[in-house]
Amino acid sequence: EISYLRDQNISFQILTYRRRKSRPYELVIINFGGAMWRTGLAPFRPAEVVVITDVGPDPDDVKALLVLAIAHRQGHIRLSAVVANGGGRPARRAQLARLILDRIGEPAVPVGVGSAGVAIPEQPHECDLRGYDAVDPARLFEGKALLARTLARAAPRAITMLLISGLRDFADIVLAQPGLVLRKVRTVSI
């Protein structure tokens, strides 16, 4: 059985091998604009993914977050945390990420407010979604603390870091807790 989920910059290719009276084995290949990772052919265990994104002005990160949330919902990955950063307004971007995850039915995925980055003028369409203003900012976490907590709770070498925005937030945790990052992060995809 082969299934695909494809977008302009993102594709999932999932090959499922089923044997009679046994658990399925899967090979999952995930491609984000050329950055690929895959799970090996083995009893399926979803990859644990932490994404740092500048969701908002361009649709690419919104689409990436939607694809990740759907893959999480279907059990292909485990979306452990989302940190939104950049544009000089990371809290607004985190609020947008929270709304997207809520709308797709994944309210338990934690969302953090990352670094501010370089301020750019906000476009009128960025947060123009019904329900955006109703997102409670109290449901957002501080990004550094969320990254540290997510890594600390993870199994050794279990985390795939997907960095699709500025690298400041990941660099900060690498500098603050290099041992933790080395013990818990398996893959960094930029």
Side-chain angles (χ1 to χ4, degrees):
E1 174 186 324
I2 301 175
S3 56
Y4 297 93
L5 177 56
R6 182 177 282 294
D7 184 85
Q8 181 180 2
N9 297 318
I10 307 159
S11 68
F12 282 82
Q13 183 177 8
I14 301 146
L15 296 92
T16 305
Y17 303 89
R18 296 187 188 278
R19 292 189 231 164
R20 252 188 246 177
K21 297 181 182 180
S22 71
R23 297 179 57 171
Y25 285 70
E26 293 189 346
L27 173 66
V28 179
I29 302 169
I30 306 172
N31 180 347
F32 283 88
M36 297 179 69
W37 75 87
R38 61 187 159 163
T39 64
L41 184 58
F44 180 69
R45 190 173 124 207
E48 205 168 328
V49 178
V50 173
V51 63
I52 300 178
T53 176
D54 58 355
V55 65
D58 300 314
D60 59 339
D61 285 43
V62 172
K63 289 189 283 185
L65 189 55
L66 287 169
V67 168
L68 289 164
I70 290 167
H72 171 80
R73 188 177 185 96
Q74 293 177 346
H76 298 297
I77 66 168
R78 181 169 171 246
L79 188 55
S80 299
V82 175
V83 174
N85 66 13
R89 54 191 177 287
R92 288 186 57 78
R93 289 182 173 184
Q95 194 172 346
L96 178 60
R98 176 75 278 148
L99 176 63
I100 290 167
L101 291 167
D102 287 351
R103 286 271 178 94
I104 207 151
E106 293 302 335
V109 175
V111 175
V113 178
S115 59
V118 176
I120 57 171
E122 185 170 311
Q123 303 298 313
H125 68 275
E126 284 185 49
C127 301
D128 190 20
L129 287 173
R130 188 174 337 128
Y132 175 82
D133 293 324
V135 174
D136 183 2
R139 292 182 60 211
L140 304 175
F141 298 92
E142 194 276 321
K144 288 180 185 179
L146 177 59
L147 287 173
R149 184 174 67 244
T150 302
L151 291 178
R153 291 179 178 170
R157 310 269 303 145
I159 298 289
T160 295
M161 295 294 304
L162 177 60
L163 311 177
I164 54 175
S165 65
L167 303 178
R168 168 56 42 206
D169 297 284
F170 185 62
D172 286 347
I173 192 140
V174 168
L175 291 171
Q177 299 186 51
L180 178 67
V181 173
L182 286 172
R183 284 190 312 276
K184 302 297 182 143
V185 175
R186 177 181 179 184
T187 304
V188 177
S189 182
I190 301 173

